[in-house]
Amino acid sequence: MTDRSAGPVVVVAGALYDRGRLLAARRSAPAELAGRWELPGGKLEPGESPEEALVRELREELGVETETIRRIPGEWPLKPGYVLRVWAARLLSGDPEPLEDHDELRWLARHELDSVDWLDQDRPAVAEAARLLPEV
Ligand code: DCM
């Protein structure tokens, strides 16, 4: 039986900032999402806080150590039963590499945010995340 009391599956994504830029990651899978850009992240595992899940996902997918700063306000629907929540995070160590799920990464300044084809569901999250970027 499906446990509906548990609520939606939460996907956590990171607005990862470094030196006034935001990291965008191009998905390599699945086919219907491949080539589109996202804030990297993934699903919560049982017992994890969203912050722990995000730090783990960014380590696995990008090979970097990060710390979360605060939640970006909002919640965005994905496929039925899934929601996207975003945390601002900063890079502590490492240089992100597309180890898993992505085939290209780009650091974008505020004026470059429209230069990649974001997943539709990530666009409002990116607009919110942009508020933490410097004006120039
Ligand atoms: N997802 C998304 N936007 C993100 C991160 C994930 O739309 N910034 C979606 C893609 C998948 C699901 O969430 O359908 C789970 O992500 P993953 O496959 O990366 O675990």
Side-chain angles (χ1 to χ4, degrees), residues 48-108:
E48 267 183 336
S49 70
E51 291 89 346
E52 288 167 343
L54 183 60
V55 167
R56 174 184 54 73
E57 287 282 350
L58 297 179
R59 183 184 297 129
E60 290 172 1
E61 294 187 356
L62 307 174
V64 293
E65 293 303 319
T66 59
E67 67 179 4
T68 55
I69 303 169
R70 73 174 84 100
R71 180 150 170 213
I72 304 269
E75 176 175 281
W76 299 280
L78 301 174
K79 56 194 170 185
Y82 287 74
V83 295
L84 178 67
R85 295 180 185 164
V86 178
W87 268 257
R90 71 168 67 87
L91 190 61
L92 293 179
S93 65
D95 190 15
E97 289 180 78
L99 302 177
E100 254 182 29
D101 299 340
H102 304 109
D103 60 7
E104 196 180 336
L105 304 174
R106 280 187 204 164
W107 287 108
L108 302 177

Side-chain angles (χ1 to χ4, degrees), residues 121-133:
Q121 56 267 34
D122 281 50
R123 286 175 193 271
V126 171
E128 274 301 318
R131 295 157 62 100
L132 293 178
L133 285 170

Side-chain angles (χ1 to χ4, degrees), residues 11 13 27 33 38-39 41-43 78-79 84 119 121-122:
V11 174
R27 289 193 70 107
L33 304 181
E38 69 172 9
L39 300 172
K43 295 186 211 56
L78 301 174
K79 56 194 170 185
L84 178 67
L119 286 171
Q121 56 267 34
D122 281 50

